[in-house]
Amino acid sequence: MKHLCIVLILFSMHFVVFGQTRYVMVIHGGAGTILKKNMSPEQEKAFHETLTQALQAGYAQLQAGKSSVDAVEAAILIMEDSPLFNAGKGAVFTHEGKNELDASIMSGANCMAGAVAGVTTIRNPIRAARAVMEQSEHVMLTGKGAETFAESKGLDMVTPEYFWTEGRWKALQRVLKQDSINMQLDHDGNQQSNKTPLDKDYKYGTVGAVALDKAGNLAAGTSTGGMTNKRYGRVGDAPIIGAGTFANDRVGISCTGWGEFFIRGIAAYDVAAQMEYAQTPLAESAANVIEKIGKTGGDGGMIALDRDGNIAMPFNTAGMYRGAITESGEVEIGIYQ
Ligand code: ASP
């Protein structure tokens, strides 16, 4: 009897250790100053619903035997078409009151990648990024050229007004006002200015997805409007392969946060490099990168999924909209710390 008990205990321990949940997709809807006290139950519900819808759209592709690239695109499309996130329809405004969108995608199966930056008339920048990857010999196209290319590939084009939303417009006005107060203080020499061209009371809101398909291939994608009040054609990390997005045969990563820090930190690739060269486990590799970003004064988060179905979603902000779906279709959503 005693022996039987020991065998049963060992067996159940084995199950806990080895019967780990296998995830097939992970998404984010941006990191930032996301506090429960500032969120109404209705808003929270809307985020839950859209994140769930995005996960299910990606999952449906995977279940149908489609590629991880298809799944990433399907999930990001849902978030780009929602005004809730800073990507596609909900993109933030530049200093001049425009919307300039960036996106990228990478396929781990063949390490091909595509990206667009500073586009203003492509309804779904993630589709354009994919077209660059699959239908051009380039990796990144910008501005007008990217738009001409997208149109020639038959993608949905819109007028720039399509991206206007009241919430984002008000956010720009707030930042512009703060900017002019800072400038005034600066001018009077009363106080050292901490003025910045970018919005720091951000809810970054960029979107991203990483998927693992039935063939065992990974893909990652990221799409954003950038940061409120950006100017001079500023481009963040989201469309930069290795910074905001990366995928190989081992891991896929998508980042969100203060892009300048993620570019300098080559954040997404750093996760893959630690795993490849130092055999550091996924969770530790991802946590190391966010810690490093924090030490240099940056903030944000990332999602990562490896070929064994493990996920990591570290962030050093108050919250990060995030979600994951298991092989059997169970959805998990998180917003706050
Ligand atoms: N990383 C994006 C950028 O810097 C912003 C975000 O994550 O929302 O453009």
Side-chain angles (χ1 to χ4, degrees):
M1 185 62 194
K2 194 172 146 202
H3 281 124
L4 180 66
C5 283
I6 291 171
V7 169
L8 282 176
I9 289 168
L10 286 176
F11 178 77
S12 56
M13 274 172 64
H14 171 94
F15 198 76
V16 168
V17 176
F18 298 103
Q20 276 168 347
T21 312
R22 216 177 115 86
Y23 293 89
V24 290
M25 182 149 204
V26 56
I27 61 172
H28 70 78
T33 330
I34 305 162
L35 298 166
K36 195 163 176 69
K37 66 175 176 33
N38 298 337
M39 184 96 73
S40 71
E42 293 74 33
Q43 281 171 319
E44 203 173 294
K45 187 163 166 268
F47 277 106
H48 261 264
E49 280 173 6
T50 313
L51 289 168
T52 303
Q53 216 188 326
L55 281 169
Q56 283 168 346
Y59 186 74
Q61 296 288 318
L62 298 172
Q63 284 300 97
K66 299 278 183 60
S67 72
S68 49
V69 171
D70 290 321
V72 164
E73 181 185 330
I76 291 184
L77 278 179
I78 300 278
M79 295 187 279
E80 280 184 345
D81 284 345
S82 159
L84 291 177
F85 303 98
N86 172 20
K89 177 70 188 151
V92 298
F93 283 95
T94 67
H95 185 75
E96 290 79 22
K98 294 188 180 151
N99 309 96
E100 295 173 357
L101 290 75
D102 307 328
S104 67
I105 194 162
M106 185 160 185
S107 159
N110 50 13
C111 285
M112 293 298 279
V116 293
V119 298
T120 59
T121 57
I122 302 172
R123 174 172 163 169
N124 294 110
I126 195 67
R127 280 214 160 121
R130 182 175 183 175
V132 173
M133 173 171 82
E134 293 176 344
Q135 302 179 57
S136 88
E137 54 185 331
H138 308 298
V139 172
M140 185 188 277
L141 301 179
T142 66
K144 270 266 152 281
E147 289 165 2
T148 306
F149 171 80
E151 198 165 6
S152 77
K153 298 300 171 195
L155 299 192
D156 244 5
M157 304 304 286
V158 291
T159 58
E161 295 72 48
Y162 165 80
F163 298 106
W164 195 94
T165 55
E166 194 181 351
R168 300 298 189 201
W169 183 253
K170 283 188 177 156
L172 174 67
Q173 304 316 312
R174 271 198 305 274
V175 182
L176 288 177
K177 196 165 155 205
Q178 190 55 49
D179 240 13
S180 70
I181 293 171
N182 288 340
M183 260 152 82
Q184 191 56 45
L185 288 173
D186 224 17
H187 187 253
D188 299 346
N190 291 335
Q191 188 178 314
Q192 217 198 330
S193 165
N194 62 348
K195 74 173 186 285
T196 160
L198 303 171
D199 178 17
K200 297 294 172 36
D201 181 28
Y202 46 75
K203 285 148 202 80
Y204 287 124
T206 286
V207 307
V210 186
L212 173 63
D213 61 29
K214 287 189 173 168
N217 293 318
L218 291 152
T222 311
S223 180
T224 189
M227 289 176 79
T228 302
N229 199 29
K230 66 181 182 180
R231 61 199 299 195
Y232 311 122
R234 178 261 187 195
V235 174
D237 59 318
I240 299 180
I241 297 302
T245 303
F246 188 77
N248 60 16
D249 62 352
R250 198 179 291 245
V251 62
I253 303 107
S254 168
C255 303
T256 172
W258 193 349
E260 279 69 11
F261 291 85
F262 284 75
I263 296 173
R264 288 188 287 255
I266 319 163
Y269 180 69
D270 191 353
V271 175
Q274 291 178 67
M275 292 176 73
E276 184 174 348
Y277 298 126
Q279 266 77 54
T280 309
L282 174 79
E284 205 182 322
S285 303
N288 286 341
V289 175
I290 295 303
E291 197 187 323
K292 248 163 80 177
I293 297 269
K295 280 188 184 148
T296 56
D299 58 4
M302 60 166 57
I303 52 165
L305 168 65
D306 72 13
R307 63 184 171 202
D308 300 319
N310 300 306
I311 55 169
M313 304 191 274
F315 55 97
N316 65 2
T317 46
M320 179 166 84
Y321 300 111
R322 59 198 186 277
I325 190 159
T326 67
E327 207 167 21
S328 57
E330 275 161 63
V331 168
E332 294 169 17
I333 303 287
I335 296 182
Y336 314 105
Q337 280 278 3

